[in-house]
Amino acid sequence: LIGLMSPISIVFAADFFVSWQTDAYTPYFYQGKVFPTNNSNIIASFELLENNRPTSLSQKQIRWYLDNELLQSGAGLKTIIFKTSLLERNGHQLKIIIPQYNNGKDLEKTVFIPIIAPEVVIDAPYANGLLSTGVNLFRGLFYFFNIDSLKELSIDWFVNNRSAPSSLLGTDVLEMTNPGWSRYINIGLGAKNKNNELEFASEKINLMIKYLELRNAF
């Protein structure tokens, strides 16, 4: 009976837990994933889990590949820092290899890191896009620029395709008094990184003055 028994098979369960983050700019209240744009810094790291528990890799050789080219290698190298490339428009393939980890077989994991363009959003807190006559405030929100503060952005506001000054509240704020002769208002916002002219974004929105208030203005 013993001779007929099948040999015991040992199941090797290992998985990578990979994370990455970037230092691209977002508004202070933003709680979503921060994505890199071209030339952003990336910090990537991982843990190897065996049976759902982290395992020590201090004596193991670890190789990192960026778009199939060796980026860095070393014993216990679980964290790296690199900069996204201007040549890659969509994103990077980041691969981790631990050579000969399991009975002479390599362990590897590949993740995709997307690269997106910077974005600007005009915050217009007016229901249904309807404005009241008088003074209205608009704030610009800026996402995924390679900056530390708004001082590094050149910000331009436009009202009905004409340049408009920013508010004394800040360059990111437009303080606009509605003209009584116009029912429709077009607000534009453009932003450019002062240190990189190729890093820019813009947005336009269309709004309307409440009809009754407009009629009473004449």
Side-chain angles (χ1 to χ4, degrees), residues 122-126 131-132 134-140 157 166-170 172-178 187 205 207:
I122 300 173
D123 182 20
Y126 302 101
L131 302 177
S132 299
V135 177
N136 293 274
L137 294 177
F138 304 86
R139 182 176 296 276
W157 288 97
S166 57
S167 169
L168 295 177
L169 299 173
D172 60 326
V173 177
L174 172 66
E175 185 174 347
M176 185 195 70
T177 302
N178 291 331
I187 305 295
I205 59 173
L207 302 166

Side-chain angles (χ1 to χ4, degrees), residues 132-149:
S132 299
T133 53
V135 177
N136 293 274
L137 294 177
F138 304 86
R139 182 176 296 276
L141 304 177
F142 307 88
Y143 297 84
F144 316 131
F145 283 86
N146 291 317
I147 59 173
D148 294 322
S149 71

